[in-house]
Amino acid sequence: MKILIIDGPNLNLLGKREPEIYGSQTTADMLAEVRAAVGGRAEVEYFQSNHEGEIIDRLHAAGYADADIAGIVLNAGAYTHTSLAIADAIAAIPLPVVEVHITNVHARPETIRHTSLISPVCRGVIAGFGLRSYTLAALSLL
Ligand code: CA2
């Protein structure tokens, strides 16, 4: 059984830019924490893209081509707030998707971050716990 983590745009910069908002830990640190928490219960696969269509293609493949994926942890980045296309892709696949955010998007000053187009089609939402949000999401899928 596999859990797939998908990161959207700019999340490749984690730990390298804006540490005051996103912390100084890297994606490798996040994956190590998730894998340690999940233990032998699931394999954890990671995919990051800055391109909306690639994220949609990965969701489709997880839902219809990769037989062993049990659920998806998705940080769609800023596409969370803008992408009806990603929302449609989530709705179109028969897998639970947990929406995650590093920051508490509702506490951020830009009001557009208070709206998520993907929340209504996700199984649940975890936001505001730093990189631990990913671990909490993976454990919720288990
Ligand atoms: O809090 C989150 O996880 C977000 O999904 C992060 C997105 C933001 O647009 C959402 O509103 C909330 C931005 C990701 C940018 O990631 C960076 C990481 C390090 C340095 C610069 C950007």
Side-chain angles (χ1 to χ4, degrees):
M1 178 170 92
K2 275 189 197 166
I3 290 174
L4 172 64
I5 299 176
I6 301 179
D7 265 347
N10 298 306
L11 285 156
N12 53 310
L13 299 177
L14 261 187
K16 299 173 191 152
R17 300 275 186 278
E18 300 189 79
E20 67 288 358
I21 301 176
Y22 298 108
S24 50
Q25 285 185 303
T26 64
T27 300
D29 296 328
M30 176 275 284
L31 285 172
E33 183 184 305
V34 174
R35 288 187 173 122
V38 165
R41 291 175 285 182
E43 245 181 83
V44 177
E45 193 179 317
Y46 180 75
F47 176 80
Q48 190 274 333
S49 176
N50 294 320
H51 305 280
E52 189 175 21
E54 286 183 3
I55 294 168
I56 292 166
D57 287 345
R58 192 66 195 88
L59 287 164
H60 290 174
Y64 293 109
D66 308 336
D68 48 353
I69 295 182
I72 298 172
V73 173
L74 172 63
N75 186 345
Y79 286 142
T80 302
H81 318 296
T82 63
S83 180
L84 195 55
I86 290 178
D88 286 347
I90 295 167
I93 61 170
L95 290 176
V97 177
V98 180
E99 173 183 352
V100 303
H101 299 287
I102 299 164
T103 60
N104 178 354
V105 281
H106 301 286
R108 293 188 61 175
E110 306 94 338
T111 54
I112 191 167
R113 295 191 204 275
H114 305 169
T115 297
S116 168
L117 296 188
I118 68 171
S119 293
V121 291
C122 285
R123 178 69 181 78
V125 183
I126 297 173
F129 296 98
L131 293 190
R132 185 142 301 157
S133 294
Y134 291 87
T135 298
L136 295 169
L139 292 176
S140 76
L141 284 169
L142 288 178

